[in-house]
Amino acid sequence: MIELVTERMRQLWIGGKPVASRAGSVRVITDPATLEPIDEVYEGTTDDVRTAVESAKAGHAHWRRVPAVERARLLHETAVALRGDRAILSELLTREGGKPRIENLDEVEWCAACFDYYAEIARNSHGSSVPPVAEHQVNFTIKEPLGVIGCIAPFNYPLLLMTWKIAPAIAAGNAVVMKPSELTPLATLRMAERCLSHLPPGVANVVTGGPPVGEALVEHPDVACIAFTGSTSVGTRIATKAAARLARVNLELGGIDP
């Protein structure tokens, strides 16, 4: 058996380092097959979300100016780190989520491939010139990052559905605040600590906890976009709240699988 639990895995991940929740309350994570406790993580609060968003804003101010070639290099390094930590990440996914380990080995590889893919998109995605409509005009488009992206993923593919959100966001020069499912937060915390720690502080942040954490993230005025996978009912609420402040949303909703 691989040793999975470390003291640092119980922390939130904010500003490039593990930090304790301001409230200090914890949630016990259990193995769904045996119902035995695996570990404890902090139950994040609204204050923790505010701290994480402030960290992401500061990280974005630097990250958006990092040349695309350098961002691509760092995303490729993330892919290398994921593959290097594949054994422990896959076992963590099995322990907290219950899927067979062979499926979780694939999931980690898919995450690594996603970072490799968006690394090249970052390096090769450009604006465009537009034919002028009058003399002495020069028209062109440029691509700008949005800022802070809130990323909320469910329990069934904790790493892959999170990676599909954070890889393109980071590649484009944004900073992210991740909120994993309260049932399966451990692999996401380990990914942040072992595979994203080489990114500049504040680019990638994790706040664990239940629905109040997600709601605080959706409602925060400095979160420019919410990327969410989950139920249609929750997605409807997110879209409504985001519309009130003209924040963008990326929603993958519904599903018929058990």
Side-chain angles (χ1 to χ4, degrees), residues 164-180:
W164 283 355
K165 296 166 178 54
I166 68 173
I170 292 172
N174 300 288
V176 298
V177 178
M178 294 173 265
K179 204 295 269 189

Side-chain angles (χ1 to χ4, degrees), residues 107-228:
E107 180 170 348
V108 177
E109 174 55 34
W110 295 336
C111 292
C114 185
F115 274 102
D116 277 335
Y117 177 83
Y118 281 106
E120 293 305 302
I121 294 292
R123 197 163 62 87
N124 294 289
S125 181
H126 309 289
S128 61
S129 60
V130 181
V133 296
E135 191 176 3
H136 307 306
Q137 275 190 352
V138 177
N139 302 324
F140 60 91
T141 65
I142 58 174
K143 297 184 178 181
E144 297 271 355
L146 292 174
V148 179
I149 312 298
C151 303
I152 305 174
F155 71 93
N156 56 335
Y157 284 88
L159 282 191
L160 185 62
L161 292 174
M162 188 64 79
T163 295
W164 283 355
K165 296 166 178 54
I166 68 173
I170 292 172
N174 300 288
V176 298
V177 178
M178 294 173 265
K179 204 295 269 189
S181 167
E182 61 270 30
L183 302 176
T184 54
L186 299 178
T188 301
L189 286 170
R190 184 170 179 94
M191 178 173 68
E193 178 184 339
R194 301 300 175 92
C195 307
L196 299 172
S197 58
H198 62 287
L199 298 175
V203 173
N205 307 273
V206 183
V207 180
T208 53
V213 172
E215 191 155 353
L217 192 57
V218 170
E219 294 178 346
H220 197 291
D222 290 327
V223 175
C225 176
I226 298 292
F228 169 80

